[in-house]
Amino acid sequence: MSPLVYHALVGFVVLNAVIGMVTYVTLLERKFAARMQSRIGPYYVGWPHGWLQPIADALKLMMKEDIVPRAADRWVYNLAPLAFLVPCILVFATIPFAPGLGVADLNIGVLFFLAVSALEIVGLFMGGWGSNNKYALLSAMRAVNQIISYDLPFIFAALVPVVLAGSLQLSVIVEAQRAMYGAFVFYPVLGQLAFVAFLVATLAAENRVPFDILEAESELVAGFRVEYSGMKFALIQLGEYAHMIATSFLGALLFLGGWLGPGPAWMGPVWFLLKAVVVFLVVTWVRWSFVRIRVDQILAISWKLLLPATLVLLMATALVVALRSTGGA
Amino acid sequence: MTAEAVAFVGVAVVLLGSSLAVVLTPNLFHSILYLAVALVATGVVFLLLDAPFLFGVQLLLYAGGVVTIVVFAIMLTERLVGRTIRQASRYLINGALLSVAVFAGVAGFLVQAPLAGARPGVSGDLTLAVGRALVGAFAVPLELLGVLLVIALLGALYFARSEP
């Protein structure tokens, strides 16, 4: 088998696995949220516990009418879901599920992840602008506002494990955590603080409650995707959930030791998925426990608290690593 | 033609086309979108030159960051204020002449320069080498750039202060 065919095949498998996972993560989230609110959640479509619900939802979205507003900027409006989805899916290319198991274990892995997911805002903006709808536009404005504010803390928090491991390659970062009881989150002080900062910035980057002002239902209907229907809406939802899962994967790789864990080697991917699900559920837990905060509070948290804190944290980590490598500490 | 040359021609066409579109589209918003395409294509050129680190930085800082900020600036001026700003490219002929002249000059230098051999192969971890260079041989220029950015930031603060 030529390497080209092999890589195409691996990419195809990972792509479909991701889409399947995204579909079922929606069910997981609905069930989890329902439990938190003493409900049952989806139950009747498929036995037991409505396990066919995501498939029913997908079929429903495929059969819906595709509406393009007459005043929309047609090209921009139609391309926006794709421009939004592609970066969200592309980041999975660099995620290793186990040693040697992944599409491409780039030596700039973390940088690739951060850079490509920064492109997502372009698609979001195209949707908000192209719809020619004031709610969508306001939502896109808020999104830009929020993403400018939270990109830097997110990057700084993600760089703490990078500095500790001395590499941008995700597999090297995971292997470096062997020395730290299998997870950088156990690193005294630095690890825990960085993980908390990472989680907060993740909430903001994923536009989840309490940072979901850009799709605040009570003021902006559904935010930047208010005009989208049918499959285009489904693509945007897919992109959003794919981004969520990708960030959970990143958190599991950077802070929780990825595939490291007790048991034989084949357990690696299982451990990795479990850790990613834990990160995802923590984020979901916060989502269903807190209320939305105001725009000025969101900006204040980022610029006055999170950004200086992560900057100091990063510099402290660099200092610790420098002292350790020269044998000073 | 090698695969690398084919890829370069493809990227070059996209880069030139989108760059022309940036200055020729009347719609300011479309112009920004073409700018995003042009910046990503520039990143791909870095990738073709075996510089994946620069590719990542280009995407993160320019395609992601700068486009965001430019779009933000448009939002504050255009639809929300109610005044539509069209981009009108005046002096098209002068601009075209100037760019042809610059191209001729650069091409002249390149033609006169001795033909370089094949690009030297990559050895070792380039990302590591870039990082070491930035804190080693190039530490002073890096710090100077940092000072320059701080000055720019202070200047922006000065202009943005509220008048008494």
Side-chain angles (χ1 to χ4, degrees):
Chain A
M1 197 158 42
S2 76
L4 200 65
V5 176
Y6 173 75
H7 280 112
L9 211 62
V10 171
F12 182 78
V13 169
V14 168
L15 183 66
N16 282 291
V18 164
I19 290 174
M21 231 176 324
V22 167
T23 327
Y24 271 88
V25 151
T26 59
L27 183 67
L28 176 70
E29 178 174 8
R30 288 171 74 176
K31 279 288 186 191
F32 189 73
R35 282 293 163 198
M36 284 185 65
Q37 299 170 338
S38 301
R39 295 184 286 118
I40 301 174
Y43 193 79
Y44 293 104
V45 187
W47 185 88
H49 280 276
W51 68 277
L52 283 173
Q53 184 70 45
I55 300 195
D57 285 344
L59 286 176
K60 180 194 74 177
L61 282 171
M62 277 180 214
M63 285 187 287
K64 278 199 170 176
E65 185 188 356
D66 175 41
I67 301 167
V68 179
R70 199 181 303 156
D73 193 337
R74 276 197 85 94
W75 273 95
V76 176
Y77 177 86
N78 286 332
L79 281 176
L82 275 182
F84 183 72
L85 179 65
V86 168
C88 295
I89 298 279
L90 198 58
V91 291
F92 285 94
T94 188
I95 288 189
F97 294 86
L101 190 65
V103 179
D105 191 16
L106 304 173
N107 66 349
I108 54 157
V110 178
L111 182 65
F112 180 86
F113 189 101
L114 297 171
V116 172
S117 57
L119 289 181
E120 173 198 308
I121 181 72
V122 177
L124 196 157
F125 212 91
M126 285 167 72
W129 175 273
S131 307
N132 207 351
N133 173 311
K134 60 186 170 194
Y135 296 124
L137 191 58
L138 280 173
S139 160
M141 274 212 50
R142 288 181 174 189
V144 171
N145 220 327
Q146 182 166 319
I147 285 173
I148 290 179
S149 313
Y150 280 89
D151 240 10
L152 286 175
F154 185 76
I155 292 173
F156 288 150
L159 280 183
V160 167
V162 171
V163 172
L164 286 175
S167 173
L168 282 165
Q169 196 168 356
L170 282 164
S171 60
V172 176
I173 294 175
V174 169
E175 288 303 324
Q177 301 183 37
R178 261 188 214 287
M180 211 7 94
Y181 315 109
F184 272 146
V185 74
F186 295 132
Y187 204 96
V189 188
L190 295 176
Q192 292 92 24
L193 288 178
F195 189 51
V196 169
F198 181 84
L199 281 181
V200 175
T202 300
L203 277 170
E206 290 172 357
N207 309 321
R208 308 279 276 178
V209 182
F211 300 102
D212 72 332
I213 44 158
L214 73 151
E215 51 189 79
E217 303 95 327
S218 46
E219 338 162 9
L220 292 182
V221 200
F224 70 97
R225 73 195 106 160
V226 62
E227 294 287 1
Y228 285 94
S229 59
M231 214 44 214
K232 285 179 197 149
F233 176 80
L235 287 184
I236 293 179
Q237 285 296 90
L238 192 65
E240 209 150 73
Y241 273 88
H243 182 215
M244 258 176 242
I245 296 181
T247 320
S248 307
F249 278 174
L250 187 69
L253 284 170
L254 289 180
F255 290 99
L256 301 181
W259 57 79
L260 301 182
W266 60 264
M267 283 284 284
V270 179
W271 280 117
F272 177 46
L273 286 181
L274 275 179
K275 287 169 181 173
V277 166
V278 166
V279 175
F280 178 80
L281 285 183
V282 168
V283 170
T284 312
W285 174 30
V286 174
R287 178 187 183 186
W288 292 95
S289 311
F290 285 85
V291 291
R292 185 179 307 135
I293 56 181
R294 290 197 317 266
V295 181
D296 60 314
Q297 290 170 325
I298 287 183
L299 294 184
I301 289 177
S302 169
W303 293 107
K304 293 182 186 162
L305 179 72
L306 212 51
L307 183 62
T310 45
L311 203 54
V312 168
L313 197 62
L314 187 59
M315 288 168 77
T317 314
L319 190 68
V320 166
V321 171
L323 286 177
R324 217 176 42 185
S325 63
T326 54
Chain B
M1 240 182 354
T2 59
E4 192 180 332
V6 173
F8 178 74
V9 169
V11 174
V13 168
V14 172
L15 184 53
L16 285 178
S18 53
S19 307
L20 279 178
V22 170
V23 286
L24 295 180
T25 334
N27 186 324
L28 208 51
F29 187 73
H30 291 176
S31 160
I32 299 288
L33 292 180
Y34 283 121
L35 182 63
V37 175
L39 290 172
V40 172
T42 315
V44 177
V45 173
F46 284 134
L47 204 58
L48 285 175
L49 291 172
D50 286 330
F53 182 74
L54 287 182
F55 161 74
V57 172
Q58 167 82 14
L59 241 58
L60 189 62
L61 294 188
Y62 286 88
V66 174
V67 164
T68 309
I69 291 166
V70 175
V71 163
F72 201 34
I74 294 191
M75 297 312 286
L76 291 175
T77 53
E78 205 175 333
R79 247 177 230 176
L80 297 180
V81 184
R83 195 161 49 102
T84 311
I85 300 169
R86 309 299 287 182
Q87 165 174 280
S89 295
R90 280 166 293 176
Y91 312 120
L92 257 184
I93 298 175
N94 297 6
L97 282 178
L98 189 65
S99 37
V100 167
V102 169
F103 180 77
V106 173
F109 273 115
L110 286 182
V111 169
Q112 282 174 15
L115 209 61
R119 193 152 45 86
V122 185
S123 59
D125 192 345
L126 266 184
T127 311
L128 203 67
V130 170
R132 291 233 183 276
L134 281 181
V135 293
F138 292 92
V140 175
L142 184 71
E143 291 301 317
L144 282 179
L145 279 179
V147 171
L148 186 71
L149 287 179
V150 170
I151 293 173
L153 209 63
L154 288 178
L157 268 180
Y158 177 77
F159 284 119
R161 79 198 188 285
S162 53
E163 300 282 346

